[in-house]
Amino acid sequence: MDPLLIGGLVVAAVLVSIGGTYLVVRRSSPISHPVPLITAPDPEALRLAAARGEELIEESRRDADRIVRDAELKARDEAVRRREELSRELELARAEVREFERRVEKREDALEQQHRELARKDKQLDAAREKLVERESALDHKARHLDELVETETKRLHEISGLSRDDAQKLLLERLERELAEEVAKKIRQHEERVKQQAEATAREIVTIAIQRYAAHQTAGATVSTVDIPSDDMKGRIIGREGRNIRTFEKLTGVDVIVDDTPGVVIVSAFDNVRREIARIALTKLIQDGRIHPTRIEEVVAETQAEMEKHIQELGTKAVLDADVPMPHEKLVYLLGRLRFRTSYSQNVLAHSVEVAHLCGIMASELGLSAQLARRCGLLHDVGKAADHEMEGGHPKVGAELAKRYGETSKEVLHAIAGHHDDITIDNIYTVLVASADAISASRPGARRETLEKYVKRLADLEAVACGFPEVDHAFAIQAGRELRVLANAHRTTDADAVRICRDIARAIEQQLDYPGEIKVTVIRESRATDVAK
């Protein structure tokens, strides 16, 4: 603030305190309206006020000078401080520049050294290139000299032997061909024998490991179901007036209800195991409820059918989880659940499928293949049995069609389903694993309810039918009687005769034998040349 302005304000304040009047001194005042000027009536007071004002002005001037000096000192100190900061920053920048120059000089030295090294290597390469050119020239000279010598010696050999170049080359190649052919054939035979031995030993070991690691319990299912009743009076209620209850029940469930003199039980019979199970559960509910009449029978049967559909889906889901494979299409899961009520030679097909899945997974792991894919092939290999009575063809073909229809895209799985009974040409390792696991599961003791005598007799009859043909030397029933291998006499038959014999044997088996499923007939005709080295 201006010191004069401060002094004027102080004088005005003194005048007000002394005379009761005031004087407004304006110096560059921003106020635009007029200000009244009132003068003091007492001259002495004015004199004293003027003196006091001058003292105050002098004092204000001294204060202003002091403030100015302080401000100058502060500004000088700030300038010194800024100068020192700038000096430090300048020193740091100079240090960075010196460090950068040092690194640049070091890099230039390294580049110079590399340049000298590259120049030295260029000189070495030039020297080596000159040596190579000289050596190449010497080798070309030697090669021309050798060609001349070979040509001279060849002419002399032609003159001595009396053979031309082409004749000598032909003779040499024929001799080498004979020697190499014998050697190659010998090596091939030795290699085949060694591979067969190793493959058979490895296969036996893998199958043994799989059988030992997975020992499943075997159970046999019945073809009829029995329902316990509390008393024989219940039989009359089941039959109903004039047989209306039992007729309604059989019509809705598609089963036969046998009510005979057997005490305490009623027999439910049907070829379809699912229908038989629905009928058994529904009849049990009716007996427990006690209300048995056509309307109630319809309600209970409908309720039981809905429960059975859900139960079948749960069984299929449990089988997929037991086999530890990714969940397939829900329709395939449902078909797997239906296999719980299907038997093959009294062996439960769903339990058989889960067992085959685990066996395939174990064998695949031993061979370094995908265990999960092998288990999936094994689990779905018999899925066609759940609908083979609804579609034409054997269960392998039906199963492959159903799997493809319901989203199964894996070629290995589809091939395993269609080819595990050799219905198609097997060109996939997973199909071989499924066929092996299927045979292992079916041949476990107690897996299938068939006496040893009947089994042996069926195989013997099968072989006897084939051996009854005069052109046949030997016949062997394999694959538990599902395949017949026939060895035809090569001297008494031709290739065309082999085809005819195969067809005739198949027709004879159809006419003379009773057997389940299908039997594959294979006729083998071969000619062998045998000699002895002495």
Side-chain angles (χ1 to χ4, degrees):
M1 183 179 292
D2 192 348
L4 296 177
L5 179 59
I6 294 173
L9 292 175
V10 172
V11 171
V14 171
L15 291 176
V16 171
S17 62
I18 294 174
T21 62
Y22 63 93
L23 173 65
V24 177
V25 179
R26 290 183 299 168
R27 186 172 183 263
S28 300
S29 175
I31 300 174
S32 58
H33 58 275
V35 179
L37 180 62
I38 301 174
T39 59
D42 190 356
E44 184 64 22
L46 291 174
R47 188 183 60 79
L48 291 175
R52 180 61 178 165
E54 290 179 358
E55 292 177 0
L56 290 174
I57 289 171
E58 185 64 25
E59 185 179 354
S60 298
R61 187 178 288 111
R62 288 194 300 271
D63 291 339
D65 293 339
R66 182 177 55 79
I67 291 171
V68 169
R69 286 195 302 272
D70 292 342
E72 290 177 352
L73 289 175
K74 288 182 180 180
R76 191 178 293 112
D77 293 341
E78 181 67 19
V80 172
R81 186 181 64 80
R82 289 294 298 168
R83 188 181 296 110
E84 291 177 353
E85 288 181 356
L86 290 174
S87 298
R88 286 195 298 271
E89 292 177 358
L90 182 60
E91 186 63 27
L92 289 176
R94 289 174 179 174
E96 291 179 357
V97 170
R98 286 195 297 271
E99 180 65 21
F100 180 75
E101 290 176 351
R102 186 182 62 80
R103 289 199 300 267
V104 169
E105 291 176 357
K106 188 176 180 180
R107 186 173 298 176
E108 288 177 354
D109 294 340
L111 291 174
E112 183 66 24
Q113 185 177 358
Q114 291 180 359
H115 179 71
R116 290 194 298 270
E117 185 69 19
L118 289 175
R120 186 179 62 80
K121 289 183 178 180
D122 287 340
K123 292 180 180 179
Q124 292 179 353
L125 288 174
D126 292 338
R129 190 177 295 108
E130 291 177 358
K131 291 181 180 180
L132 287 175
V133 171
E134 294 176 358
R135 185 174 298 179
E136 184 178 0
S137 177
L139 289 175
D140 290 340
H141 179 70
K142 290 181 180 180
R144 287 193 297 270
H145 182 63
L146 289 175
D147 291 339
E148 293 174 358
L149 290 177
V150 169
E151 186 176 358
T152 304
E153 293 297 327
T154 302
K155 290 180 179 179
R156 291 181 61 187
L157 285 174
H158 290 168
E159 293 174 358
I160 295 171
S161 62
L163 296 174
S164 64
R165 179 183 181 88
D166 294 337
D167 294 337
Q169 184 177 5
K170 182 178 179 181
L171 183 63
L172 179 61
L173 290 176
E174 290 177 354
R175 181 178 176 182
L176 288 174
E177 185 177 359
R178 289 194 301 269
E179 294 178 356
L180 292 176
E182 295 175 359
E183 187 68 22
V184 169
K186 183 178 179 181
K187 293 292 184 182
I188 289 174
R189 287 195 298 271
Q190 293 176 354
H191 182 69
E192 287 179 350
E193 292 296 330
R194 184 168 63 255
V195 170
K196 286 180 180 178
Q197 293 175 1
Q198 293 176 354
E200 184 175 359
T202 304
R204 289 180 182 275
E205 180 181 359
I206 292 173
V207 171
T208 304
I209 290 173
I211 293 174
Q212 289 176 348
R213 288 178 58 186
Y214 188 80
H217 298 288
Q218 302 295 338
T219 57
T223 57
V224 296
S225 300
T226 59
V227 179
D228 296 331
I229 56 177
S231 64
D232 290 344
D233 296 338
M234 185 62 67
K235 293 182 179 179
R237 300 176 62 182
I238 293 172
I239 296 172
R241 182 180 299 176
E242 297 179 356
R244 63 175 185 174
N245 290 346
I246 193 171
R247 285 197 304 271
T248 302
F249 187 83
E250 290 178 345
K251 180 180 178 181
L252 293 174
T253 58
V255 302
D256 294 328
V257 180
I258 302 174
V259 182
D260 54 12
D261 296 335
T262 304
V265 295
V266 174
I267 299 174
V268 177
S269 176
F271 290 105
D272 191 325
N273 292 339
V274 176
R275 291 204 304 265
R276 189 175 71 245
E277 183 67 13
I278 293 174
R280 185 189 68 80
I281 296 174
L283 187 57
T284 302
K285 289 182 179 179
L286 289 171
I287 292 172
Q288 292 175 353
D289 185 32
R291 296 176 294 170
I292 305 177
H293 51 81
T295 303
R296 180 59 180 167
I297 290 172
E298 292 179 1
E299 294 176 357
V300 171
V301 169
E303 177 185 348
T304 306
Q305 288 174 346
E307 292 176 357
M308 180 57 67
E309 294 290 324
K310 182 179 179 181
H311 181 58
I312 290 174
Q313 196 74 23
E314 292 174 353
L315 289 173
T317 303
K318 183 177 182 300
V320 174
L321 296 177
D322 290 343
D324 192 17
V325 299
M327 191 65 64
H329 191 277
E330 60 180 6
K331 188 61 178 179
L332 289 178
V333 176
Y334 177 79
L335 292 174
L336 285 173
R338 285 180 63 91
L339 294 179
R340 173 64 179 78
F341 305 98
R342 171 72 185 265
T343 59
S344 178
Y345 293 94
S346 76
Q347 184 182 25
N348 187 273
V349 179
L350 181 57
H352 163 73
S353 299
V354 175
E355 182 178 2
V356 170
H358 286 291
L359 291 172
C360 288
I362 294 171
M363 290 190 287
S365 298
E366 294 293 332
L367 293 173
L369 302 173
S370 173
Q372 186 180 86
L373 180 58
R375 288 195 299 269
R376 191 178 187 88
C377 294
L379 180 66
L380 297 176
H381 81 284
D382 270 347
V383 71
K385 289 185 177 181
D388 56 358
H389 61 285
E390 302 172 1
M391 301 173 64
E392 294 184 0
H395 75 272
K397 179 182 177 182
V398 172
E401 292 178 357
L402 289 174
K404 188 174 182 180
R405 180 187 304 173
Y406 296 122
E408 187 61 51
T409 58
S410 174
K411 295 181 180 179
E412 291 81 1
V413 176
L414 297 176
H415 194 277
I417 296 173
H420 69 278
H421 283 321
D422 296 333
D423 295 333
I424 59 176
T425 302
I426 297 179
D427 55 2
N428 191 288
I429 184 62
Y430 291 97
T431 306
V432 178
L433 292 180
V434 171
S436 303
D438 184 46
I440 293 171
S441 176
S443 60
R444 283 185 183 274
R448 297 192 172 184
R449 192 167 56 192
E450 184 177 23
T451 62
L452 179 61
E453 292 79 5
K454 291 177 62 178
Y455 176 75
V456 173
K457 184 178 184 302
R458 182 159 61 86
L459 297 185
D461 293 342
L462 191 60
E463 294 175 356
V465 170
C467 291
F469 288 80
E471 299 89 349
V472 174
D473 286 343
H474 302 285
F476 303 98
I478 60 176
Q479 295 285 340
R482 290 195 295 268
E483 183 176 353
L484 181 64
R485 296 281 178 87
V486 180
L487 301 181
N489 190 301
H491 301 290
R492 294 199 298 267
T493 60
T494 62
D495 291 339
D497 293 335
V499 178
R500 176 184 56 81
I501 293 169
C502 182
R503 185 177 61 254
D504 293 343
I505 292 174
R507 300 291 86 77
I509 292 173
E510 291 177 355
Q511 296 173 4
Q512 300 177 24
L513 300 180
D514 294 329
Y515 54 91
E518 299 176 348
I519 297 177
K520 181 180 179 181
V521 180
T522 303
V523 175
I524 301 173
R525 176 187 177 274
E526 63 176 355
S527 58
R528 299 184 181 181
T530 306
D531 199 355
V532 179
K534 297 181 180 179

